[in-house]
Amino acid sequence: MTNGQPRLVGLKTLNGLGRDAFAEALAPLFEAAGPLADALYAARPFDSYSGLIARAEAVAAALLPAQQVEVVNAHPRIGANAQDVSALSYREQGYAAESGQDLTTVYVALDRLNREYEARFGFRFVVFVNKRSKPEILEVLRQRIDASRDAELQTAIAAIFLIARDRLAALETA
């Protein structure tokens, strides 16, 4: 971490790490996604982080559905306690911008709908926040809760790679 922000290790270093350290080095991009980290570890070496993300996207598409669920569930819940999310998730979910706002009803609704979503689909709601407020995300959650399980799993997987690409861009400019 640099100034409280995670950082990426150099690619030469990444490619030479052992399995556990390799998985930990991916955390700034993919949270802690075990099956994805294992498959990427086996696919080394990488010559760019953007290439790694592209490979990760192909790998995730080929994972068994149970493994895809594990990858999705590695991401924090939208509206989770700010102390329980990574520095990048904290920034992405806009916790700092909420200072002084009373979003109690929004957080109560997010909690209820997150639990309903997880009961319906068997995995967490993942969305590329992209500077949307919690009330806007709540509306996205309301719309997506009626989707089919297969469609929703693919939407969540796609969101993971939108998030990873956004994180990569932020880390490369930091």
Side-chain angles (χ1 to χ4, degrees):
M1 279 200 180
T2 305
N3 298 330
Q5 292 295 326
R7 65 175 186 80
L8 297 172
V9 300
L11 286 162
K12 184 176 180 181
T13 300
L14 179 74
N15 288 324
L17 293 173
R19 167 35 192 108
D20 290 344
F22 178 85
E24 187 175 317
L26 295 179
L29 298 175
F30 301 114
E31 301 291 340
L36 186 59
D38 291 341
L40 290 173
Y41 182 75
R44 294 169 307 139
F46 295 99
D47 59 4
S48 71
Y49 272 102
S50 58
L52 182 147
I53 292 171
R55 178 73 177 130
E57 195 165 20
V59 163
L63 291 173
L64 296 172
Q67 293 171 313
Q68 289 178 331
V69 166
E70 188 175 340
V71 170
V72 168
N73 284 342
H75 281 259
R77 284 181 183 90
I78 297 292
N81 186 318
Q83 296 174 347
D84 296 335
V85 301
S86 69
L88 286 170
S89 288
Y90 183 89
R91 177 185 56 83
E92 292 160 354
Q93 290 194 39
Y95 286 101
E98 295 173 355
S99 180
Q101 296 180 44
D102 184 4
L103 296 173
T104 304
T105 58
V106 171
Y107 275 94
V108 168
L110 276 171
D111 181 58
R112 180 183 58 76
L113 282 174
N114 270 319
R115 283 186 279 113
E116 185 180 325
Y117 181 98
E118 290 172 20
R120 174 172 162 75
F121 297 116
F123 52 85
R124 288 188 180 160
F125 170 69
V126 177
V127 64
F128 177 43
V129 173
N130 196 21
K131 299 181 175 94
R132 290 182 278 192
S133 67
K134 293 289 187 325
E136 290 171 298
I137 296 301
L138 181 59
E139 187 54 37
V140 172
L141 177 51
R142 284 184 176 123
Q143 292 169 6
R144 284 180 41 191
I145 205 157
D146 292 324
S148 73
R149 185 180 192 279
D150 289 341
E152 198 51 31
L153 183 56
Q154 295 316 304
T155 299
I157 291 289
I160 287 170
F161 297 104
L162 290 172
I163 294 165
R165 285 183 176 95
D166 186 63
R167 288 178 174 185
L168 177 60
L171 290 167
E172 288 180 334
T173 60

